[in-house]
Structures are given as structure tokens and as C-alpha cells.
């Protein structure tokens, strides 16, 4: 089953050639945005940026590769501190509703990505259900911002956690 998506993912995630030097090599070849996905520690976040990443993507790949992987929100503050504004911080894992987006922003994420809920909505009801899901998330972000007294998502910081 060499051509399956699962085989491809298994092969790529266990490729021993995936090193920081390889990232530097890629950075030399590519002048577009470079994002490193699967960052779960401050050390790796620092290295990703040092080797040329424009963004670190905090993801445990849905916890499917290592069942003892930390939750993305648990490691996000240390990663944000390590990156120190030198790169964008993208986050996925557990982002299901607007409140999750606000929480991630408060902990240091630049943006959130959420795959599973989109696929569920699309599978359950097609485009209309996906549009409804996105509308629900947007309204939930707005409601959460109102409840914490912050008018814009761009103004969210760690103070909303207290």
C-alpha cells in the first residue's frame, strides 16, 4: 500500500533526513514563507526560527503519532516565550470553538487552525453546514471577546486568563 496517504505520512514522519540542517538547506533554496509543523517545545521553536522558519506550527498531529504528546495549549506559552516575536506561531489541536481561539491568542498564538471540525461539518451537511460552523465560531469569538471586555481579537493578551 505504498501509495496510500497513511503510508506517505508514516514514511515522512519517520524520515531520519529531517534535520535542522535540512531546514537551513531548504531556507537557502526557498525565499517564500517557511513553516515548521509539529513544534512542541521551546527548544525546537528556537531552533526552527534560528534555522530560518517564518512560523512555527504548534501541533501534536492530533495525538495520533505519540499518545504521550503534550497538549498544544500546554506548551504554547513556553513556545511563545522562546520565539519572542521573531516568527508567527500557528496552533492546532483542540480548536473547536471561538473560545479556544481566544484562549490560544491569550497564550501566544498568532493564529489557529482547525481541521477536524471543518471536515465533520462538511461531511455532515456539505458547504451549507461548513458555512454554518464558521459562522458559529465567529459568533463565539465575538461573544467571548465581549465577555472578557476586549473589543478586537488582535488586542487579546495574557490578561484575559486572570
Amino acid at each position: 500500500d505504498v501509495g496510500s496517504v497513511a503510508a506517505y505520512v508514516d514514511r515522512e514522519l519517520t524520515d531520519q533526513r529531517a534535520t535542522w540542517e535540512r531546514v537551513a538547506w531548504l531556507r537557502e533554496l526557498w525565499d517564500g514563507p517557511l513553516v515548521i509543523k509539529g513544534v512542541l517545545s521551546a527548544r525546537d521553536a528556537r531552533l526552527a526560527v534560528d534555522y530560518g522558519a517564518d512560523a512555527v506550527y504548534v501541533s501534536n498531529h492530533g495525538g495520533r503519532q505519540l499518545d504521550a504528546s503534550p497538549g498544544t495549549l500546554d506548551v504554547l506559552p513556553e513556545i511563545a516565550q522562546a520565539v519572542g516575536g521573531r516568527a508567527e506561531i500557528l496552533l492546532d489541536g483542540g480548536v473547536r470553538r471561538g473560545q479556544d481561539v481566544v484562549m490560544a491568542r491569550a497564550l501566544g498564538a498568532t493564529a489557529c487552525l482547525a481541521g477536524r471540525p471543518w471536515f465533520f461539518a462538511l461531511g455532515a451537511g456539505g458547504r451549507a453546514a461548513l458555512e454554518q460552523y464558521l459562522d458559529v465560531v465567529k459568533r463565539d469569538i465575538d461573544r467571548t471577546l465581549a465577555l472578557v471586555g476586549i473589543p478586537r481579537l488582535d488586542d487579546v493578551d495574557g490578561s484575559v486568563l486572570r
Side-chain angles (χ1 to χ4, degrees):
D1 196 22
V2 176
S4 77
V5 171
Y8 172 80
V9 169
D10 285 344
R11 188 173 58 252
E12 292 301 311
L13 289 178
T14 59
D15 184 350
Q16 294 299 311
R17 296 174 300 163
T19 64
W20 293 114
E21 290 73 24
R22 198 78 190 238
V23 172
W25 170 79
L26 186 57
R27 176 77 288 166
E28 288 178 22
L29 295 176
W30 173 253
D31 63 356
L34 180 60
V35 179
I36 305 296
K37 184 178 181 184
V39 176
L40 290 173
S41 71
R43 176 188 173 274
D44 284 350
R46 271 191 299 277
L47 285 168
V49 175
D50 290 348
Y51 278 92
D54 298 298
V56 295
Y57 190 150
V58 182
S59 174
N60 62 13
H61 309 290
R64 293 183 307 272
Q65 279 66 38
L66 293 171
D67 51 350
S69 294
T72 56
L73 286 178
D74 294 332
V75 297
L76 181 57
E78 72 185 57
I79 289 171
Q81 184 175 6
V83 168
R86 298 183 299 147
E88 302 291 318
I89 301 172
L90 311 176
L91 177 121
D92 75 8
V95 179
R96 303 289 185 260
R97 54 200 179 122
Q99 188 172 339
D100 300 326
V101 174
V102 174
M103 174 76 74
R105 289 292 300 234
L107 293 171
T110 308
C112 293
L113 298 100
R116 235 175 264 175
W118 293 53
F119 295 132
F120 292 160
L122 192 60
R127 181 181 179 143
L130 177 56
E131 289 174 353
Q132 181 180 8
Y133 167 72
L134 294 173
D135 188 53
V136 167
V137 171
K138 181 186 178 312
R139 284 195 322 262
D140 193 35
I141 289 171
D142 292 342
R143 180 177 26 264
T144 302
L145 291 174
L147 289 170
V148 298
I150 296 178
R152 297 176 339 115
L153 190 57
D154 287 342
D155 297 331
V156 170
D157 61 23
S159 68
V160 304
L161 301 173
R162 289 180 240 119

